[in-house]
Amino acid sequence: MVVSALYTLYFGVWMWGWPREFAEFVNYPNHVHFLHDLGAFHLGIGVALLVALIWRDAILVALVGLAAASLIHTVNHTIDSHLGGASSDPYVIGAQTLLALVGIAFRVRHLRARETKEQGR
């Protein structure tokens, strides 16, 4: 799983940081915003794979992956606003990031409470 995570993170960084070079390498049209978004989602998946090595809770792992991808996606829509899209995109996607972070906080709280309850038995 570590190899898959590193592979996914490597390509995510490449797509996000150097979209033109990535497009040339894979013989794909140089669509900067699309490659930024694709890089963001690869990074989110890579983060989720790494987090899955630490935490065994599928919901928490999924929320962390979503939060990571969504945060970078928000950045994409901020820095690529001149390439199109709605002016509200960074705010809408940013709100999704905040919801994922709130979900993480609630899930961690729930898991800790459950653990405490089980230790009390």
Side-chain angles (χ1 to χ4, degrees):
M1 186 151 36
V2 172
V3 172
S4 294
L6 294 176
Y7 176 87
T8 305
L9 290 168
Y10 173 80
F11 280 98
V13 168
W14 190 7
M15 286 178 236
W16 195 82
W18 297 272
R20 183 173 35 90
E21 291 81 357
F22 180 83
E24 288 173 10
F25 181 76
V26 297
N27 195 26
Y28 186 82
N30 183 22
H31 190 293
V32 173
H33 180 73
F34 179 75
L35 289 168
H36 278 165
D37 281 351
L38 193 56
F41 299 127
H42 271 75
L43 289 167
I45 292 168
V47 166
L49 288 170
L50 288 177
V51 170
L53 295 170
I54 300 166
W55 294 324
R56 298 291 180 223
D57 185 72
I59 294 172
L60 185 57
V61 169
L63 285 169
V64 170
L66 172 63
S70 186
L71 176 62
I72 300 165
H73 193 202
T74 301
V75 171
N76 291 349
H77 278 267
T78 302
I79 65 174
D80 292 345
S81 63
H82 65 287
L83 298 175
S87 59
S88 62
D89 285 351
Y91 303 103
V92 172
I93 300 166
Q96 179 183 8
T97 304
L98 291 175
L99 285 173
L101 292 171
V102 168
I104 290 167
F106 277 106
R107 187 64 181 172
V108 167
R109 183 176 171 202
H110 170 77
L111 292 172
R112 286 184 180 159
R114 186 171 70 185
E115 184 179 299
T116 302
K117 184 177 178 182
E118 288 174 359
Q119 288 176 351
R121 290 183 183 181

